[in-house]
Amino acid sequence: MSGSRDWYRYYAAARNEPREALLYALQRFDQEEVCDPFAVDLGCGTGQDTAELLRRGWKVLAIDGQAAAIERLHERPDLPGTAAERLQTQISTFEQAEWPEADLVNSSFALPFCRPAAFPAVWQRIERSLHPGGRFSGQLFGDRDGWSGEQDMTFHTRTQVEALLASLEVEQLEEVEEDGTTAIGRHKHWHLFHIIARKPHSEGRRLGQGINLGRMNAGSVALIPECAESQSERERLKPRAGPLSSGPAPPLPGPLDPRSSRPPNSPR
């Protein structure tokens, strides 16, 4: 998206509550044994999702292409007192962003702002970076979205979304299409997909491999194991059987509101 003025207006208007899709993904993690959980908040904006993750004890790498967003994140008054120990930030575009393996990659209303030519590589990077049993939570915009004429944004049909998720276990795929407004009050037709998807679990790998944020930087993606490696520990860390791994998904913590926290319209 070009033009920083619209981003500043969005930052001023956007709500501070975490997105419902993230809350749903965290509800799933709460039912599993996750050691030292680590999340990447890709396109973090001013950090409402990052702040929620930190409040729940996660380590977070928050990435955004706008320096103003990262500044506002660090200035949030609701960050927990231990945030400095568990938060690292990176100012980077989707194409240039680097991150280590993670239990969760969250991208709330951000990925559609990736250029179409770069999107396939970014999505592959997201999939590769997930630990077995890890999740992606976020949104993609549909082909009938009101911004679909924007050449520097990426839009998908439902068939294309399902193809993207073919190698993952889909826990939530909700398609929403309706007229509404953006966070800064502009009228818009919304067509989007709310997604929570889990990377299949494989023997010998586990959730929560312990990320040492003190040794992470944009040029280094080394993982620092901090959890027990015994067979009994690996068995304990596997997801529990039941509705979490098979059967219908539990209800969302609250209704998904496609009008509540939207990025600003791009300049015309």
Side-chain angles (χ1 to χ4, degrees):
M1 175 179 173
S2 60
S4 60
R5 181 167 56 185
D6 277 320
W7 285 117
Y8 280 111
R9 290 181 64 192
Y10 169 62
Y11 297 151
R15 300 190 319 174
N16 281 326
E17 295 87 351
R19 273 52 176 240
E20 287 86 352
L22 171 67
L23 294 178
Y24 177 77
L26 292 177
Q27 182 184 61
R28 291 267 178 159
F29 279 114
D30 285 344
Q31 300 176 60
E32 301 170 352
E33 298 284 351
V34 186
C35 175
D36 198 17
F38 170 67
V40 175
D41 195 2
L42 187 59
C44 64
T46 57
Q48 53 265 58
D49 288 352
T50 293
E52 180 66 18
L53 286 160
L54 292 169
R55 283 192 293 268
R56 291 173 180 245
W58 286 64
K59 291 181 179 178
V60 184
L61 172 60
I63 302 173
D64 201 278
Q66 300 290 324
I70 299 299
E71 291 172 4
R72 284 177 176 254
L73 166 58
H74 283 294
E75 293 169 357
R76 290 183 67 95
D78 59 341
L79 293 181
T82 58
E85 303 168 8
R86 294 183 287 111
L87 171 64
Q88 190 170 66
T89 57
Q90 183 183 134
I91 301 172
S92 180
T93 63
F94 291 113
E95 297 96 316
Q96 297 173 334
E98 296 288 344
W99 62 88
E101 292 185 358
D103 300 302
L104 171 68
V105 176
N106 178 70
S107 188
S108 293
F109 304 102
L111 277 179
F113 291 88
C114 180
R115 294 186 305 106
F119 184 90
V122 172
W123 183 258
Q124 289 174 9
R125 194 178 312 152
I126 290 171
E127 282 200 69
R128 287 196 305 267
S129 70
L130 289 175
H131 290 153
R135 289 179 172 85
F136 167 81
S137 63
Q139 290 75 27
L140 296 174
F141 286 179
D143 60 319
R144 297 186 297 277
D145 191 86
W147 291 341
S148 60
E150 296 289 335
Q151 298 300 309
D152 58 350
M153 293 178 63
T154 299
F155 303 87
H156 294 87
T157 65
R158 186 179 182 97
T159 299
Q160 290 170 333
V161 171
E162 292 172 347
L164 285 174
L165 301 174
S167 64
L168 302 174
E169 298 171 356
V170 178
E171 296 179 323
Q172 184 75 26
L173 176 56
E174 181 176 1
E175 184 175 3
V176 175
E177 184 169 7
E178 67 177 13
D179 293 323
T181 59
T182 68
I184 59 177
R186 292 176 176 168
H187 294 288
K188 181 180 181 294
H189 181 74
W190 293 105
H191 181 208
L192 64 151
F193 300 90
H194 297 283
I195 299 168
I196 299 96
R198 181 175 181 265
K199 190 169 187 177
H201 205 83
S202 61
E203 189 64 31
R205 296 293 299 278
R206 59 189 172 79
L207 289 173
Q209 290 184 305
I211 303 301
N212 186 336
L213 288 178
R215 291 178 58 182
M216 269 193 341
N217 54 55
S220 173
V221 294
L223 298 180
I224 314 299
E226 294 176 351
C227 300
E229 292 289 350
S230 66
Q231 179 65 29
S232 60
E233 181 71 0
R234 286 196 295 270
E235 290 297 323
R236 186 181 70 82
L237 292 172
K238 287 182 180 179
R240 299 171 183 172
L244 205 63
S245 55
S246 63
L252 289 166
L256 293 173
D257 184 353
R259 296 160 296 182
S260 60
S261 50
R262 291 292 180 268
N265 203 349
S266 52
R268 293 289 187 254

